[in-house]
Amino acid sequence: MTKKQIHLNGFIQNSPSPHSTGLWKHELDKGTHHNRLDYWTDAAKTLERGKFDAMFIADVLGAYSVYGGNHDAAAKHAVQLPAHDPTLVIPAMAAVTEHLGFAPTVSTTYAQPYSLARQLSTLDHLTDGRVAWNVVTSYLESEAVNLGLTERLPKEMRYNRADEFLEVVYKLWEESWDDEALLYDREKDAFADPDKVHLINHEGEFFNVPGPHLVEPSPQRTPVLFQAGGSPRGRDFAAKHAEAVFTKGHSLDAIAAYVQDIRQRAEASGRNRDDVKVFPMVLPIVASTEAKAQKKLEALQESVSYEGTASLLSGHTGIDFSQYDPDQYIEDIDTEAVQGNLDMYTKDQDKKWTLREAVKNHGLGNGTVKFVGTPEQIADKIEEWTTIGDADGFNIAQSYSPGTFEEFVDEVVPELQKRGIYRTEYEGETLRENMFGKGQKYIAENHPAKRAGVTNEWN
Ligand SMILES: Cc1cc2nc3c(=O)[nH]c(=O)nc-3n(C[C@H](O)[C@H](O)[C@H](O)COP(=O)(O)O)c2cc1C
């Protein structure tokens, strides 16, 4: 029997050391070069050498200013500030790679479906079908007030808007242009057949979009859909729409429970259990011996900024930790920010977390699990989390960038390949084919994108 094959994505953001706070000052970190194209093209080439599915590019649209009610700590410690645009670096990376996918984060709370559909279709053309979209609803108040709102929308409303947002883009991507619409007929002076380019006539609570879509069908039509919802509403949203779900956690039990929950919710929404791939985030710390890897972890922790991480955690959880004593326990609340980030420290069966402990943990890899050891030990963990935890693969976070990717690709990937659990060549042409198998160029027939509800009010 062939062993379960795992998939890998690289987690990054257009910001210096975005997921390991303070590491920008580490001697091996090149995160401050994120404003240069060669930083991106080098990272992309490394991930493709490691046969990764995609580079997942996180994003936020505002400063972290929950901590102390201002952005001082975020600015001082480069807490996802500066934050450059995640989409603009993609064409340069696509030009130096052939197979790697690119998954920029774009928020349904602040984008418009008509223009985002155009932007992602353009990128899907330019990359020959290697684009995904990390669908987020956003969580910072500072995003809302800079982007036309007076305050952050309630989470429920953000997800309602996201649901309708997706309905609109599905109609644009899947229904506006027929496959046969393009004629390129010089004799008849017809570029396209107007009868095959349709209005979508969407009218809803949040959006009115008549269409038609501004871009002819791209290689995948709908880009691969990534999501990372943690709250019950977020998980339902993920189970309905996502083809890949990203999550964070520091215990195998918590991840296993999350994976089962997502699979059940997928079934409940009319999809198959395995239609949604689940990727826990992992920060690998690899060395030639276990002792050296432990030492390396301790050295990395030295570079983490306490205040910067407290500011990051405040933004992630919506709690102003500047008001906390470091030895105070973190309280369990329903947050309007990122529920999963708070749950990591409040719903842990094994431990009650103080702020000091949580900050120490959150400072590397945004608090996710660390696989620390030799390549063999890390591969053992990967096998354990994919067999017992039923994860489909991992989202690889970094301490120093892009060195963490390079070490993982050079040292851990060959071990995974030796064990027969990881590809030695890409299987398909497009990102979806590489994630779901050859022939799976388009989104699955049982996905809501295919049932977006044709209005039949064609032009
Ligand atoms: C691994 C991971 C990556 C995420 N990346 C982003 C991101 O780049 N930008 C963002 O606004 N939210 C990001 N989120 C947050 C979620 O997508 C979601 O919007 C947020 O968690 C609020 O919803 P929830 O409480 O249902 O999780 C991420 C979450 C996880 C677990």
Side-chain angles (χ1 to χ4, degrees):
M1 209 178 100
T2 49
K3 288 184 169 174
K4 178 174 177 175
Q5 296 297 299
I6 65 155
H7 292 260
L8 297 171
N9 295 282
F11 193 50
I12 197 165
Q13 191 165 334
N14 200 341
S15 181
S17 61
H19 307 129
S20 289
T21 314
L23 266 284
W24 64 270
K25 58 189 181 290
H26 191 281
E27 56 180 356
L28 295 178
D29 189 70
K30 295 192 182 138
T32 52
H33 295 179
H34 74 105
N35 56 350
R36 290 172 22 175
L37 278 182
D38 59 353
Y39 172 79
W40 293 94
T41 51
D42 285 353
K45 283 192 261 186
T46 299
L47 295 182
E48 180 155 284
R49 184 156 54 78
K51 309 282 184 269
F52 277 45
D53 282 1
M55 175 188 280
F56 174 144
I57 314 172
D59 193 32
V60 288
L61 297 165
Y64 280 76
S65 50
V66 176
Y67 186 82
N70 60 58
H71 60 260
D72 293 358
K76 182 168 180 196
H77 303 288
V79 182
Q80 302 184 5
L81 182 68
H84 295 200
D85 190 286
T87 55
L88 298 178
V89 290
I90 291 174
M93 294 192 284
V96 298
T97 53
E98 269 178 65
H99 302 282
L100 183 70
F102 304 99
T105 296
V106 184
S107 172
T108 52
T109 304
Y110 304 111
Q112 282 291 323
Y114 180 67
S115 51
L116 182 65
R118 176 195 195 207
Q119 194 179 4
L120 292 176
S121 292
T122 304
L123 283 173
D124 203 44
H125 276 289
L126 292 175
T127 60
D128 282 330
R130 294 189 275 144
V131 161
W133 168 27
N134 177 35
V135 184
V136 298
T137 55
S138 300
Y139 52 88
L140 296 171
E141 187 81 23
S142 63
E143 300 177 307
V145 296
N146 280 295
L147 288 159
L149 301 177
T150 48
E151 58 182 4
R152 185 176 53 189
L153 298 178
K155 190 176 287 189
E156 182 69 21
M157 194 192 290
R158 298 203 301 265
Y159 276 118
N160 291 344
R161 180 182 155 110
D163 260 325
E164 192 186 324
F165 193 115
L166 287 184
E167 195 185 323
V168 178
V169 293
Y170 293 156
K171 289 175 183 171
L172 291 167
W173 285 326
E174 297 291 332
E175 298 172 3
S176 186
W177 289 66
D178 293 352
D179 285 339
E180 312 76 29
L182 289 171
L183 299 174
Y184 301 117
D185 192 331
R186 288 186 170 85
E187 309 255 294
K188 291 191 182 141
D189 189 16
F191 177 82
D193 180 347
D195 291 341
K196 293 181 174 162
V197 182
H198 310 287
L199 294 174
I200 63 162
N201 287 326
H202 178 89
E203 285 180 21
E205 185 186 346
F206 298 94
F207 307 106
N208 290 326
V209 180
H213 187 29
L214 278 175
V215 185
E216 77 279 26
S218 68
Q220 301 182 110
R221 281 187 175 261
T222 298
V224 179
L225 298 170
F226 287 9
Q227 215 270 341
S231 64
R233 181 70 176 87
R235 291 176 187 212
D236 277 340
F237 180 86
K240 179 174 168 194
H241 297 284
E243 298 176 271
V245 175
F246 292 79
T247 184
K248 267 191 325 199
H250 35 71
S251 85
L252 175 55
D253 287 349
I255 293 296
Y258 180 85
V259 175
Q260 288 318 308
D261 187 54
I262 290 290
R263 300 211 191 290
Q264 274 158 17
R265 287 176 199 257
E267 268 189 321
S269 78
R271 302 172 70 197
N272 300 316
R273 290 177 72 74
D274 298 331
D275 286 351
V276 187
K277 293 208 181 295
V278 187
F279 295 92
M281 181 165 146
V282 163
L283 179 72
I285 297 175
V286 58
S288 55
T289 67
E290 189 177 347
K292 282 187 186 160
Q294 278 301 335
K295 272 207 148 145
K296 189 166 162 181
L297 167 65
E298 284 155 29
L300 288 170
Q301 280 166 338
E302 296 284 299
S303 293
V304 169
S305 149
Y306 181 94
E307 191 189 41
T309 309
S311 144
L312 179 75
L313 195 58
S314 290
H316 278 165
T317 59
I319 301 171
D320 179 3
F321 288 118
S322 72
Q323 306 296 319
Y324 261 55
D325 182 288
D327 294 312
Q328 199 174 328
Y329 289 118
I330 296 186
E331 59 186 319
D332 189 7
I333 56 166
D334 282 341
T335 177
E336 283 292 318
V338 188
Q339 194 65 50
N341 276 314
L342 186 58
D343 292 352
M344 282 201 301
Y345 304 109
T346 56
K347 294 193 170 60
D348 186 346
Q349 305 296 330
D350 302 324
K351 171 179 168 64
K352 271 186 92 175
W353 289 75
T354 63
L355 175 62
R356 192 192 305 280
E357 292 166 332
V359 163
K360 188 171 174 193
N361 185 61
H362 214 71
L364 285 180
N366 278 10
T368 205
V369 67
K370 285 96 193 151
F371 287 171
V372 185
T374 62
E376 293 76 19
Q377 288 173 316
I378 292 180
D380 287 347
K381 282 277 177 204
I382 283 177
E383 287 210 70
E384 187 183 27
W385 282 50
T386 45
T387 49
I388 300 172
D390 197 24
D392 294 292
F394 297 88
N395 191 21
I396 303 299
Q398 302 201 88
S399 48
Y400 41 78
S401 177
T404 313
F405 287 158
E406 287 161 6
E407 290 170 8
F408 189 89
V409 165
D410 291 334
E411 294 166 46
V412 183
V413 163
E415 179 62 27
L416 301 174
Q417 289 169 329
K418 200 170 90 190
R419 294 181 187 204
I421 59 170
Y422 189 62
R423 66 163 67 98
T424 51
E425 289 303 333
Y426 285 98
E427 298 83 8
E429 305 289 324
T430 63
L431 173 58
R432 189 172 281 109
E433 282 191 321
N434 285 324
M435 290 186 72
F436 290 93
K438 206 152 174 59
Q440 309 283 317
K441 204 163 137 192
Y442 300 117
I443 202 155
E445 287 298 325
N446 65 352
H447 188 280
K450 295 287 194 186
R451 316 176 232 133
V454 183
T455 60
N456 285 327
E457 291 164 15
W458 300 135
N459 50 347

